Amino acid sequence: MTSAMQPQSATPAKRILVVEDALDAAKNADFDIAILDVNLNGQPISPVADALVARGMPFVFATGYGERGLPEPYRDRPTLKKPFQMDGLKQMLQIALDRGKN
């Protein structure tokens, strides 16, 4: 008798919250990591980052403005420079997830 083996992923699937305007989701949604767009139509991203820090949730920023576009207290966070490639996205998400474990 033979059994079919299902391919196993080395890394379990993660739920990602992409924040473009959803403070409520940052406070209440069920996810593993968040990507915060620094430009929220002129609104500051700090309240969203603060909510994620309060929950102990890992996140990365996505910005086309460079470091000066990031809120001062969060300039040490992993940051994706727009436009970004999938490899860069994967690397930054892994850095944030690893950092969240510490």
Side-chain angles (χ1 to χ4, degrees):
M1 218 171 167
T2 62
S3 63
M5 297 204 48
Q6 295 290 334
Q8 296 292 323
S9 173
T11 307
K14 299 290 182 192
R15 295 160 296 175
I16 301 171
L17 173 68
V18 178
V19 177
E20 292 184 313
D21 64 0
L23 178 57
D24 188 53
K27 291 180 179 178
N28 302 309
D30 189 23
F31 58 92
D32 296 301
I33 188 168
I35 301 172
L36 307 182
D37 189 329
V38 173
N39 183 0
L40 297 180
N41 222 7
Q43 300 298 313
I45 192 66
S46 295
V48 177
D50 295 342
L52 294 174
V53 167
R55 289 184 65 188
M57 301 300 294
F59 62 91
V60 300
F61 288 108
T63 181
Y65 301 103
E67 186 179 291
R68 74 185 192 291
L70 299 176
E72 181 67 38
Y74 299 111
R75 291 195 175 161
D76 65 334
R77 294 286 175 153
T79 304
L80 288 162
K81 307 283 192 262
K82 290 182 185 180
F84 53 84
Q85 302 296 317
M86 288 303 293
D87 287 342
L89 173 62
K90 182 179 176 182
Q91 181 181 15
M92 286 298 113
L93 291 174
Q94 190 60 57
I95 289 169
L97 285 167
D98 291 345
R99 183 179 177 170
K101 293 176 186 174
N102 297 330

